[in-house]
Amino acid sequence: PADHKPIIIVKNLTQRFGDNIVFENVSFEVYKGEVLVIVGGSGCGKSTLLKILIGLQKPYAGEIIYQGTDITKVEDEELNEYRKNIGVLFQSGALFSSMTIKENIALPLQEYTDLDAGTIDNIIKMKLGMVNLAGYENHNPSELSGGMKKRAGIARAMALDPKVLFLDELSAGLDPITAVELDDLIIKTNEALGTTLV
């Protein structure tokens, strides 16, 4: 359709550290509601690309256009606005081990919204239900299996209903059955909520 505009435009992205070129002239577009998979061998720069896409790293050259703004060139305040619209699941799950699952998911809601505690509790229950972890609110990450940690990570990444969800090596370290279950969960999330997935 004519109004089918990309939500993110990546133009000629290059990353290098000294003489080491990680990748160069990478360009692609991410469309609303799509599942875009970036594939490549180990060490080819996928995680580096993700870090640039979420604003954790500056590229050597190139642009990332989100809603008309190049997020590689903005100040921290604008970068935070961008980050409110995206969710990230890191390879490790990156949950805070000293906090319960509930506290982990509450973090972005407390940080970025003015919602009261009761509403935050309801959102947490809803997100945990969505990833089949209902009833695990008060567990610590150490009490969960690898697959459950990833699902809790997805619940936290989805806490603010992001427009785009970035996933780094979703099935890394998981057995094949758990990996397939996680893939199914991601596809269902995309179908049910229309979340754009990278």
Side-chain angles (χ1 to χ4, degrees):
D3 64 345
H4 191 52
K5 292 195 182 84
I7 191 166
I8 295 173
I9 302 167
V10 176
K11 286 185 189 170
N12 304 323
L13 213 57
T14 297
Q15 187 60 309
R16 64 186 292 173
F17 302 105
D19 291 336
N20 177 27
I21 295 169
V22 184
F23 51 76
E24 59 183 338
N25 293 326
V26 172
S27 297
F28 58 89
E29 294 178 345
V30 183
Y31 286 88
K32 191 175 188 298
E34 84 169 331
V35 180
L36 176 74
V37 182
I38 297 166
V39 182
S42 185
C44 75
K46 297 186 300 293
S47 292
T48 302
L49 178 61
L50 179 93
K51 283 178 186 152
I52 296 170
L53 287 169
I54 63 177
L56 280 183
Q57 231 180 62
K58 294 277 187 204
Y60 177 77
E63 300 174 294
I64 298 166
I65 311 294
Y66 175 78
Q67 293 186 338
T69 302
D70 180 1
I71 63 119
T72 69
K73 305 208 168 44
V74 296
E75 298 297 317
D76 287 352
E77 201 176 316
E78 277 184 283
L79 197 53
N80 278 338
E81 279 305 310
Y82 168 67
R83 286 193 184 130
K84 284 181 202 176
N85 290 292
I86 63 171
V88 186
L89 178 69
F90 292 101
Q91 196 170 329
S92 60
L95 296 166
F96 291 101
S97 56
S98 59
M99 296 176 157
T100 64
I101 298 306
K102 176 181 173 175
E103 288 166 339
N104 265 285
I105 300 169
L107 264 181
L109 293 160
Q110 290 161 345
E111 185 72 22
Y112 290 121
T113 73
D114 300 321
L115 299 170
D116 61 79
T119 307
I120 288 175
D121 277 357
N122 285 337
I123 292 171
I124 292 166
K125 284 196 174 78
M126 199 167 72
K127 300 300 175 186
L128 284 174
M130 190 182 87
V131 297
N132 305 322
L133 283 177
Y136 282 89
E137 285 89 338
N138 298 315
H139 285 65
N140 274 42
S142 60
E143 299 173 88
L144 303 185
S145 70
M148 290 163 92
K149 276 184 200 156
K150 291 263 178 137
R151 283 190 276 146
I154 291 168
R156 188 180 66 188
M158 293 296 292
L160 293 167
D161 295 326
K163 293 186 173 74
V164 187
L165 180 59
F166 293 96
L167 307 147
D168 188 20
E169 301 265 358
L170 184 61
S171 53
L174 302 177
D175 63 87
I177 292 167
T178 307
V180 168
E181 285 171 356
L182 214 50
D183 284 344
D184 285 346
L185 173 65
I186 287 299
I187 290 162
K188 284 194 183 108
T189 302
N190 170 258
E191 287 170 353
L193 301 174
T195 310
T196 307
L197 303 169
V198 178

